[in-house]
């Protein structure tokens, strides 16, 4: 089983939340200035958003997989809307999916709602929360934030001891003294049947809440979202139509919607039998039911590592300048010499977070973790200066990579704890000649370097994901597992996915992405897949940080914006909503797409900035007119949806 099939930026983003304050009375909450905790707002840029509200909504699903406990046989999503907006008049709904099991509110998504409001349009953002999220006991995370003390989470999940003899983190998940009891693979046999048919049954259940969805519902997705969107376009819905016939448009961001995800042809019988055998292996327990690989890097699946990732962020927020106990795991681009170097670095908690998710934490040093060389944000650099008199290089760049070299361990001052220098949102005083260079196609590439500061702050990344208020109306669930009864409180709303379904991620996604048409109807095995991506015809707006965008569906309405600029705009697309030709994602890596600021976005409409300039988010400033040109002019009525925080509304 490939380790990284389901690995994506959604699992990599180290989400965090702001410290919760005391809750005011209902009367106080109704005032013009609303409390962001009692009336859930959103974190990010700016640091608190009081004009937006988040509501966690849980509804029955059309899908009913075998063996699933009744309390888990539901689908849920987070609804982001303006507090003062009229739910009777909604211009468009954006359905967001991060299909690898992660979930959370991105800075970019909230910016889209705000940008639409500036144009006097009412957009809502609906973020799908996969079923697995309700298996996560986040009590320890909530306690840590409520106290402002990350040790509360350490005690809850790891017990009385969490460091080794060297003082570095070495906790045992659910160890002696821990209140938390991890789920085992044998606790969740039903996960073996949380497959693609369940995923899209859940998605269709949410789609059913939108009246006139063909003219008002747009689907967008990130990272592996090209595959998700192509699957959604081709899936057969319960009313007999294909997904693309029930949507107004698809918007893939940073992950390409490409021929690789749409696939070709149909599976042969041998391919089907191989797929069935893989499914049966998960059902029997021969293959794990949820992803729990033994990675120790800062980016990896599995409950233990995801909790550790969360703790890295907690310490960065609450003890930013203290020395981090979380070692940098091996896996650097520079190989063993670079790993030897990073193993000796002493970092502050804030620098440890930055190092984990930056595409180039020490510019030009090849100390980046492999996956971050294409994924990470250009968020700044380590406050690092080599010890005077030390050698410049240990070895040249590995694998023929050009430009600088791997630094020797002798450059490190063993008495120094290195901090972090932000690369975004400021005057660029910490700019390096190599800042922004990334490893691309076997070489060190500086084509995106512009002498400007980066569009993303480390603080924005930490603040923009996982606000605890996002699920404040979720109640704890009591479930009888083979290893005992547990009450699981998943109301904290953190980003990471602990128990991602191996069936969907490792078996179904690669299978569905390989073929353009799949029909398997085996009632005897309870396997039902019906996907046909052959005749998809739907508007597509692609934003990608990679070159070479294509429209595998071949439709007449297609627009693609890349790092290099506006790459493709078909005649129909240009006639409906001409894209600003200056739009580009030149300053963005994958992480920046979700977290870059938009503080100067209003200047784009005035013609004073181009979409993608610093402070003007390339997507947030261009997506609204594209959607409005394809949505019906008459708003839809969503007043029938549950409003879980009615007392917080201003209207």
């Amino acid at each position: 089983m490939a380790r990284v099939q389901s690995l994506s930026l959604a699992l990599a983003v180290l989400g965090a939340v702001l410290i919760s304050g005391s809750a005011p009375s209902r009367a106080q909450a109704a005032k013009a200035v609303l409390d962001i905790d009692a009336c859930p707002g959103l974190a990010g840029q700016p640091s608190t958003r009081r004009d937006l509200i988040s509501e966690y909504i849980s509804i029955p699903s059309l899908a009913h997989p075998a063996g699933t406990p009744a309390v888990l046989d539901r689908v849920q999503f987070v609804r982001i809307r303006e507090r003062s907006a009229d739910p009777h008049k909604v211009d468009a709904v954006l359905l967001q999916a991060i299909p690898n099991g992660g979930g959370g509110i991105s800075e970019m998504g909230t910016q889209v709602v705000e940008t639409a409001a500036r144009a006097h349009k009412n957009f809502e953002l609906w973020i799908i929360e996969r079923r697995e999220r309700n298996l996560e006991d986040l009590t320890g995370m909530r306690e840590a934030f409520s106290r402002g003390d990350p040790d509360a989470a350490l005690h809850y999940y790891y017990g009385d001891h969490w460091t080794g003899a060297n003082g570095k983190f070495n906790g045992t998940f659910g160890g002696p003294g821990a209140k938390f009891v991890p789920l085992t693979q044998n606790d969740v046999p039903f996960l073996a049947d949380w497959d693609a048919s369940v995923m899209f049954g859940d998605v269709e259940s949410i789609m059913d809440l939108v009246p006139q969805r063909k003219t008002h519902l747009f689907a967008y997705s990130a990272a592996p979202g090209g595959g998700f969107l192509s699957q959604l376009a081709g899936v057969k819905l319960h009313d007999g139509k294909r997904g693309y016939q029930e949507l107004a448009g698809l918007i893939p961001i940073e992950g390409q919607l490409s021929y690789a995800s749409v696939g070709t042809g149909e599976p042969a019988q041998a391919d089907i039998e191989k797929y069935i055998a893989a499914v049966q292996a998960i059902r029997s327990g021969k293959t794990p039911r949820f992803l729990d690989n033994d990675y120790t890097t800062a980016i990896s699946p599995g409950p233990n590592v995801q909790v550790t990732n969360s703790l890295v962020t907690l310490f960065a927020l609450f003890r930013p300048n203290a020395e981090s106990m979380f070692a940098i795991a091996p896996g650097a681009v520079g190989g063993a010499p670079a790993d030897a170097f990073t193993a000796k670095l002493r970092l502050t908690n804030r620098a440890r977070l930055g190092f984990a998710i930056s595409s180039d934490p020490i510019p030009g040093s090849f100390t980046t973790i492999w996956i971050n060389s294409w994924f990470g944000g250009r968020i700044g650099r380590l406050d690092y200066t080599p010890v005077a008199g030390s050698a410049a290089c240990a070895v040249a760049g590995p694998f023929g990579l050009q430009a600088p070299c791997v630094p020797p361990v002798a450059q490190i001052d063993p008495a120094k704890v290195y901090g972090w220098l932000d690369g975004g949102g400021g005057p660029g005083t910490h700019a390096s000649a190599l800042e922004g260079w990334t490893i691309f196609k076997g070489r060190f590439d500086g084509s995106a370097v512009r002498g400007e500061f980066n569009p993303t702050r480390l603080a924005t990344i930490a603040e923009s994901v996982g606000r605890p208020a996002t699920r404040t109306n979720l109640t704890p669930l009591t479930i009888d597992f083979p290893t005992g009864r547990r009450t699981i409180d998943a109301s904290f709303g953190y980003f990471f996915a602990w128990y991602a379904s191996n069936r969907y991620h490792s078996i179904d996604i690669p299978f569905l992405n390989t073929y353009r048409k799949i029909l398997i109807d085996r009632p005897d095995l309870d396997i039902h897949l019906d996907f046909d991506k052959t005749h998809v015809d739907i508007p597509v707006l692609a934003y990608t940080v990679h070159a070479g965008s294509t429209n595998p569906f071949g439709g007449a309405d297609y627009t693609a914006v890349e790092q290099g600029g506006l790459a493709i705009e078909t005649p129909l697309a240009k006639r409906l909503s001409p894209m600003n030709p200056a739009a580009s994602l030149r300053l963005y890596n994958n992480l920046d797409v979700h977290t870059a600021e938009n503080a100067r976005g209003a200047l784009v409409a005035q013609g004073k900035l181009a979409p993608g300039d610093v402070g003007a988010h390339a997507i947030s400033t261009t997506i609204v007119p594209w959607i409005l040109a394809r949505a019906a002019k008459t708003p839809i009525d969503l007043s029938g949806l549950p409003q879980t925080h009615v007392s917080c509304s201003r209207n």
Side-chain angles (χ1 to χ4, degrees), residues 310-608:
S310 304
L311 289 169
V312 168
T313 311
L314 288 177
F315 277 89
L317 285 172
F318 297 126
R319 300 176 190 171
N321 298 318
E323 182 173 358
S324 175
M325 65 176 170
F326 298 97
I328 300 171
V333 171
D339 286 341
F341 177 87
T342 58
K344 295 294 184 181
L345 281 174
R346 298 174 62 191
L347 305 178
T348 65
N349 284 314
R350 188 165 178 266
R352 177 62 180 82
L353 172 62
F355 205 101
I357 56 180
S358 172
S359 59
D360 199 17
I362 302 177
S365 66
F366 302 109
T367 55
T368 308
I369 297 173
W370 256 114
I371 193 168
N372 279 354
S373 66
W374 61 265
F375 159 75
R378 296 171 52 230
I379 55 175
R381 64 184 178 90
L382 200 67
D383 187 5
Y384 172 79
T385 301
V387 170
S390 59
C393 297
V395 295
F399 308 108
L401 293 170
Q402 301 300 309
C405 57
V406 177
V409 173
Q411 280 191 4
I412 299 172
D413 181 349
K416 183 176 178 60
V417 179
Y418 294 93
W420 189 258
L421 300 175
D422 262 334
T429 55
H430 305 306
S432 160
L434 291 169
E435 187 165 351
W437 286 51
T438 54
I439 298 157
F440 183 66
K441 293 186 177 179
R443 64 188 179 87
F444 225 64
D445 178 46
S447 61
V449 176
R450 288 173 44 85
E452 297 175 340
F453 49 88
N454 298 331
T456 303
R457 297 172 184 260
L458 182 60
T460 306
I461 294 172
E463 293 172 2
S464 65
V465 182
R467 179 70 181 170
T470 58
R471 289 195 244 169
T472 52
N473 52 302
L474 185 152
T475 57
L477 305 177
T478 299
I479 305 171
D480 289 318
F481 295 101
T483 54
R485 173 173 292 185
R486 292 184 183 77
T487 297
I488 298 176
D489 184 352
S491 62
F492 180 72
Y494 220 76
F495 187 81
F496 296 102
W498 295 11
Y499 299 105
S501 166
N502 207 16
R503 166 76 179 276
Y504 177 62
H505 300 308
S506 299
I507 305 301
D508 283 14
I509 288 179
F511 187 66
L512 293 173
N513 287 354
T514 300
Y515 305 103
R516 191 166 286 246
K517 184 176 182 180
I518 296 174
L519 175 59
I520 303 177
D521 188 17
R522 291 290 302 272
D524 56 319
L525 297 175
D526 196 18
I527 297 177
H528 307 275
L529 297 178
D530 192 339
F531 292 81
D532 189 347
K533 298 169 272 187
T534 306
H535 303 293
V536 172
D537 185 8
I538 189 171
V540 176
L541 171 60
Y543 296 97
T544 177
V545 295
H546 309 288
S549 296
T550 57
N551 184 5
F553 300 136
D557 187 354
Y558 181 75
T559 303
V561 182
E562 300 176 346
Q563 282 189 331
L566 179 59
I568 305 172
E569 188 175 31
T570 61
L572 175 58
K574 188 171 184 177
R575 186 168 69 251
L576 290 173
S577 57
M579 178 68 66
N580 188 326
S584 79
L585 279 82
R586 67 187 183 280
L587 298 177
Y588 293 64
N589 283 349
N590 299 68
L591 188 59
D592 301 304
V593 166
H594 298 271
T595 57
E597 66 176 345
N598 194 40
R600 305 197 309 170
L603 297 178
V604 172
Q606 302 172 23
K608 297 180 180 179

Side-chain angles (χ1 to χ4, degrees), residues 109 129 167 214 306-307 364 424:
E129 292 266 312
K214 173 63 178 175
Q306 294 306 354
V307 173

Side-chain angles (χ1 to χ4, degrees), residues 12 123 216 253 305 483 592 618 644:
F123 281 17
H216 290 83
I253 58 173
V305 176
T483 54
D592 301 304
T644 54

Side-chain angles (χ1 to χ4, degrees), residues 242-262:
R242 297 288 168 184
Y244 78 92
Q245 297 172 306
E246 296 290 309
L247 293 166
L250 302 178
I251 307 172
I253 58 173
E254 39 97 7
Q256 292 188 53
L257 179 67
S258 65
Y259 290 99
S261 64
V262 173

Side-chain angles (χ1 to χ4, degrees), residues 79 81-82 84-93 116 120-124 211-212 216 628 632-640 643 651:
R79 179 190 186 191
R81 60 186 180 89
E82 282 213 303
S84 57
D86 185 352
H88 296 274
K89 298 179 180 179
V90 177
D91 296 289
V93 176
H120 307 291
K121 296 296 181 180
N122 184 14
F123 281 17
E124 292 197 2
Q212 298 93 48
H216 290 83
L628 290 174
K633 305 307 178 186
T634 304
I636 55 174
D637 186 348
L638 294 179
S639 59
Q643 295 187 36
N651 55 340

